[in-house]
Amino acid sequence: MSLLFYLQPPLFYTKPHSLHPHKTNLFKPHKPLAVKSLGKNQGHVPSPEKPRWEHLLSTLASLYPVYVTVGGAIACVNPSAFQWFVKRGPASYSFSLGLIMLAMGLTLELKELVGIFKEKPLSILFGCFAQYTIMPAFGTLVSKVLGLPPSLSVGLILLGCCPGGTASNVVTLIAQGDVPLSIVMTVCTTLGAVLLTPLLTKILAGAYVPIDALGLSISTLQIVVAPILLGSYIQSTFPLLVKAVIPFAPLFAVLASSLLASSVFSENFVRLKSSLASTASASGDMKTVLLAVVLLHFAGFLIGYLSAMVCGFKEKQRRAISIEVGMQNSSLGVVLATSHFGSPLVALPPALSAVVMNIMGSSLGFVWRYITPSDLNQQTESQD
């Protein structure tokens, strides 16, 4: 399964039919939220409890939005705090993102995902289609409406053309959405990014600056797909080693992702201030870029949900699709921007997104946490 299935074990090691709305509380381990298994056997036998230290690691790993928010605040106040990591970029960015994808691959059991492809093929296809149409289209629209300069427009479009991020799986879990669907969508859009991210960026942003689509494809293949496949291979070849490492993989991936997001944000925050220091509209330009990123993610959440509702998907699937569409792999966008574009401002929208996206997504998940999906109510009543 995906990396995020290990982020909050107390939510999974419970009886499958304990999802009564009045008992659900994500913050009480003794009354956790259960997520059904992907397999055919969904009996009432609970899985064995994990040691306390593994629960502690899982709890720490689930605080990803907090780490990113704190890191972003530090980057604004004291950008030099991440200088040791920034000065080794973009190699340090690519290496870190590769390690994050490797950690995901270590927990990815491809055989178990086959069941989702058989049960919900239309949901997966619709979610992937929405991912690569809504966000690229609104990235282009927002950049034109706000009149962003060419470099910032390319950065926003590149952000919109990136695949879904793994943080969306955690937010979907909190929001009582369809977690397995979210995981499969993340994997599919990530694999599709090898071709679609550079192709869509070339089509939509090629009018602004020359874009090396082949170079973007090779980088995406090296940074994302190869580490995931390597992790899956290590899992099947060295199961005992992977079993010992798995409890630490989620926290490592979350901390590495937080460091990457905070570092690239601090770097581009300094660069933007330096580039606009001679103009009187510096603060206004920063606010415009921030507004553009907020509008892009807001459109992803809203249009993703409404389109899924119009197409007749159940509430749990709507939430998963909305969150998956609205939350991008911002780190990949930053790596591609710093590796293939001359202007440092291209990386600013993805860098801002790394912080803004998690705050928006977490807030949405927190609200949905208190609104039990209607199809979940119906399922509970039928089981009673």
Side-chain angles (χ1 to χ4, degrees), residues 32 51 60-61 67 81 85 88 95 135 196 220-221 246 255-256 270 297 301 317 329 333 335 338 340:
L60 293 175
Y67 302 146
F85 190 81
R88 293 174 173 81
F95 183 71
M135 296 301 279
L196 293 177
T220 306
L221 182 64
I246 280 296
L255 292 177
V270 172
H297 288 296
F301 291 127
Q317 283 74 52
N329 191 333
V335 171
T338 55
H340 297 279

Side-chain angles (χ1 to χ4, degrees), residues 140-358:
T140 305
L141 179 62
V142 171
S143 64
K144 290 183 177 180
V145 171
L146 296 182
L148 295 179
S151 295
L152 294 175
S153 295
V154 172
L156 191 68
I157 294 172
L158 175 62
L159 172 63
C161 295
C162 284
T166 54
S168 62
N169 306 146
V170 177
V171 175
T172 301
L173 175 63
I174 297 174
Q176 300 191 72
D178 191 329
V179 179
L181 174 61
S182 176
I183 293 169
V184 173
M185 284 179 57
T186 300
V187 174
C188 290
T189 56
T190 299
L191 295 176
V194 177
L195 296 176
L196 293 177
T197 296
L199 177 62
L200 291 173
T201 305
K202 175 70 175 180
I203 294 173
L204 298 175
Y208 293 102
V209 294
I211 295 176
D212 182 8
L214 178 61
L216 286 175
S217 298
I218 294 175
S219 294
T220 306
L221 182 64
Q222 292 174 337
I223 296 170
V224 177
V225 180
I228 290 179
L229 296 179
L230 176 60
S232 298
Y233 172 77
I234 294 175
Q235 180 197 60
S236 60
T237 308
F238 306 100
L240 294 180
L241 175 62
V242 172
K243 183 179 180 181
V245 172
I246 280 296
F248 302 92
L251 180 58
F252 167 79
V254 164
L255 292 177
S257 182
S258 302
L259 172 63
L260 177 61
S262 301
S263 298
V264 297
F265 174 70
S266 68
E267 177 187 19
N268 287 277
F269 182 79
V270 172
R271 285 180 175 178
L272 181 68
K273 290 179 65 177
S274 300
S275 300
L276 302 177
S278 58
T279 67
S281 60
S283 60
D285 289 337
M286 174 64 83
K287 293 178 181 179
T288 302
V289 177
L290 180 61
L291 175 61
V293 172
V294 171
L295 290 176
L296 176 62
H297 288 296
F298 179 80
F301 291 127
L302 179 61
I303 305 302
Y305 181 87
L306 293 178
S307 61
M309 180 178 65
V310 170
C311 291
F313 290 101
K314 294 182 179 180
E315 178 65 17
K316 290 171 66 67
Q317 283 74 52
R318 296 176 199 170
R319 296 183 183 185
I321 292 172
S322 170
I323 294 170
E324 189 68 25
V325 171
M327 300 188 72
Q328 303 293 89
N329 191 333
S330 304
S331 299
L332 176 62
V334 171
V335 171
L336 296 178
T338 55
S339 301
H340 297 279
F341 298 95
S343 173
L345 297 182
V346 175
L348 179 61
L352 283 173
S353 171
V355 177
V356 173
M357 173 191 69
N358 284 283

Side-chain angles (χ1 to χ4, degrees), residues 69-80:
T69 302
V70 173
I74 294 175
C76 291
V77 176
N78 184 24
S80 61

Side-chain angles (χ1 to χ4, degrees), residues 75-130:
C76 291
V77 176
N78 184 24
S80 61
F82 300 97
Q83 188 61 32
W84 63 274
F85 190 81
V86 170
K87 67 181 181 181
R88 293 174 173 81
S92 58
Y93 304 158
S94 301
F95 183 71
S96 298
L97 187 56
L99 288 179
I100 294 169
M101 294 298 105
L102 177 63
M104 179 178 177
L106 289 176
T107 61
L108 183 63
E109 298 179 6
L110 299 180
K111 292 182 179 180
E112 295 186 17
L113 297 179
V114 175
I116 291 296
F117 284 101
K118 292 181 179 179
E119 295 174 8
K120 304 175 182 177
L122 294 180
S123 299
I124 297 172
L125 290 175
F126 177 84
C128 294
F129 177 78

